[in-house]
Structures are given as structure tokens and as C-alpha cells.
Amino acid sequence: MTTNPAPAGAPPAPEPAETDNRRDFLMKVGIGAGVVALVGQAGASLRSLVPNVSYDAPTTVKLGLPGDFPDGLKFLPDQRLFVFRDGRTFHAISAVCTHLGCTVRAEALSRTEEKEVAGKPLRITHRFLCPCHGSKYKGDGANESGPAPKPLAWYELSLAADDGQLVVDLAHEVGHDFRLTLA
Ligand code: FES
């Protein structure tokens, strides 16, 4: 059997060992590039899960001027909050059920009650019911029946210095003796 001679001027054919080395080298380069691409892609995917900006709701919220609140109860769905007014005195009770966080609804009592709560008088006009698992709360937020493990939270109210609006601090729970009484 005869082999064709290399054309005149062509580089000599590589030796078999040299060809294997080159193939190994190219394979390693290919694998390395693939790994780098995968790591980069995974990093980008993980990075995309972390927002650049915090979209958490602010904890201190202006609610409106005191005159915007009727005597009795006003529900604020954005804050999931009940604001109660009795003349010049205000307090705020969370509408977030202490069982699993559903929004409780207020049910007007057939007869208003005057009670002492945490050593201070409180006019009770409503009680609260959770539609999810049936927890019931008294008008001061105390858990009465159902799976709710503790009372509804009360939050601090204050007046904004700049424009006189009512302000709630949803990061600051207060005791049931809290009242904001305007001068
Ligand atoms: S979330 Fe209110 S009773 Fe379960």
C-alpha cells in the first residue's frame, strides 16, 4: 500500500502524540469556558433575586387630620388598622389576626359599653371576628375564643409636628392603657 506524499511546501503532518495533546488542551479550554459561563449565569440568577431597593412599607404613616376621623371607628385597609375616636381621645388597634395574619373585621355591638381597660376608661363600640379560623376578640383587642394566641396589637399614635395629621408607628406596640388625647 502506498501513501500519498505531502504536497510540496505543506507543513509536515503532526505526530499522533502532538495531536492528542492539542485535543486534550482544547477540551480543557472548552470545559473551563463552560464552567465559567455556568458560574456567571448562576451568580446573575442569584443576584436577580435580591432587589436593589427596599420596597418595605414605611412603619410610620400619616393617617389624616384628626377631624377626618368620625367618632367611633374608622378602618384603614392600607395599614390594616382600626382607629377609634372618643371625642378628643384616639387609640389604634391592629386588624391583623394574631393566629395566622388574616384581616379581622369589626362587628358593631348592639350596645356601647364603658369599661376600664388597663386602668383607664374605654368606650367599647365593636368586637372583632377573624373570617379565616373563627377567632373572636373583645373590643379592646383581647383574644376571647378560637386559635388566636394573643390580643390584637395596639400601636402608638401621635400628631405630626409639621401638619397636625395623626401618625401611627406600626413598629411600636403600646399597652392597652395608651390614649392620645388632643389638647
Ligand atoms: S388567621 Fe385568624 S383565626 Fe386563623
Side-chain angles (χ1 to χ4, degrees):
M1 189 168 133
T2 60
T3 56
N4 292 332
E15 295 296 319
E18 195 182 328
T19 308
D20 286 350
N21 285 344
R22 191 179 301 159
R23 189 181 305 131
D24 284 352
F25 173 73
L26 290 174
M27 193 180 300
K28 284 177 183 162
V29 168
I31 291 172
V35 168
V36 168
L38 278 176
V39 169
Q41 185 66 41
S45 299
L46 286 174
R47 181 72 189 83
S48 71
L49 298 176
V50 182
N52 290 327
V53 184
S54 169
Y55 293 106
D56 290 344
T59 57
T60 302
V61 185
K62 285 184 176 178
L63 304 175
L65 292 168
D68 297 337
F69 290 80
D71 225 42
L73 168 153
K74 182 173 183 178
F75 176 56
L76 303 173
D78 289 349
Q79 288 76 37
R80 298 171 77 196
L81 190 71
F82 299 107
V83 175
F84 292 86
R85 177 177 184 179
D86 183 2
R88 307 185 69 78
T89 301
F90 295 79
H91 70 281
I93 299 181
S94 170
V96 179
C97 181
T98 59
H99 179 222
L100 293 176
C102 289
T103 302
V104 301
R105 49 187 175 75
E107 185 181 79
L109 299 179
S110 54
R111 214 160 42 91
T112 296
E113 298 169 10
E114 297 290 340
K115 272 180 66 175
E116 184 126 323
V117 172
K120 291 187 177 175
L122 190 70
R123 184 164 58 115
I124 305 282
T125 55
H126 291 75
R127 64 177 187 153
F128 308 99
L129 309 170
C130 182
C132 290
H133 311 102
S135 286
K136 292 181 182 168
Y137 299 86
K138 295 180 181 173
D140 62 353
N143 48 318
E144 189 173 25
S145 64
K150 59 181 188 172
L152 297 171
W154 284 42
Y155 289 118
E156 184 180 60
L157 290 176
S158 59
L159 279 189
D162 56 347
D163 58 8
Q165 289 196 50
L166 271 184
V167 176
V168 65
D169 185 348
L170 296 170
H172 190 186
E173 279 192 40
V174 292
H176 292 194
D177 58 344
F178 177 89
R179 314 280 186 272
L180 171 68
T181 301
L182 305 184

